[in-house]
Amino acid sequence: MKIIIEPYDPKWKIKFKKESKLLINSIKEQGIKIEHIGSTSINGLGAKPIIDIVIGLKDFKTANNHISTIEKLGYKYVPKFENEMPYRRFFIKESNGKRTHHIHLVELKTEFWDRHLRFRNHLRSNNEDRDKYMELKMRLSEKDWNNGNEYADAKSEFIKDIENKIS
């Protein structure tokens, strides 16, 4: 499996804003926050063109109440990883057989929430690390992978190094 990294596209921000409005108008809960994370949220960074969204809830106990609401917006609920990540609900949206969006439904101010926002914010403000990350992603995209998780795992060391640097 080849991973295709596309050049940065400013339309990714527009797609996030459109999806965010749909989500905020559909999920009827006080105090939720919706953030654009992942490579598509970082100016100048190439990415797989999948909009990663994290939705933060005040209390994760309400997470399962929102599954059917999110599914009605065209997302598929994917419980597959809940044994490893019981603190997250994961959703995928596709168009013409291609993934277009991911949703990570988590509790606000948890390690998952904080870690993803710190990493995003660091790469938004540090061009040198952003460019190093891009170089890594391009190098990894030249390989054949059994699945997307292998590709993600191959980026883990770099991500952890950045997280340690900014913690």
Side-chain angles (χ1 to χ4, degrees), residues 12-73:
W12 292 337
K13 282 185 181 180
I14 296 165
K15 289 179 181 181
F16 164 74
K17 285 180 183 178
K18 179 182 175 188
E19 206 67 18
S20 179
K21 284 180 186 175
L22 284 173
L23 289 161
I24 204 81
N25 290 329
S26 298
I27 299 172
K28 305 294 184 198
E29 184 168 322
Q30 290 288 340
I32 69 165
K33 293 193 186 282
I34 300 176
E35 293 281 346
H36 188 186
I37 60 170
S39 294
T40 61
S41 71
I42 301 163
N43 286 343
L45 184 61
K48 296 180 293 179
I50 300 170
I51 308 303
D52 273 299
I53 299 169
V54 62
I55 301 174
L57 303 170
K58 278 186 170 182
D59 186 350
F60 191 70
K61 291 177 189 157
T62 67
N64 289 343
N65 300 343
H66 304 297
I67 292 172
S68 64
T69 301
I70 295 170
E71 286 177 324
K72 287 176 187 166
L73 297 175

Side-chain angles (χ1 to χ4, degrees), residues 82-110:
E82 287 176 18
N83 285 338
E84 298 102 47
M85 297 185 191
Y87 50 83
R88 179 188 79 154
R89 299 294 176 265
F90 182 61
F91 302 83
I92 294 170
K93 191 177 218 181
E94 294 182 340
S95 178
N96 299 320
K98 290 187 176 184
R99 288 186 187 190
T100 59
H101 298 76
H102 291 160
I103 290 177
H104 310 267
L105 184 63
V106 300
E107 187 169 325
L108 286 168
K109 298 180 182 169
T110 57

Side-chain angles (χ1 to χ4, degrees), residues 135-153:
E135 289 170 20
L136 172 64
K137 289 168 55 142
M138 293 306 293
R139 211 171 40 251
L140 294 175
S141 74
E142 295 170 3
K143 297 182 178 187
D144 280 314
W145 303 94
N146 290 323
N147 57 56
N149 288 336
E150 281 187 345
Y151 166 77
D153 288 345

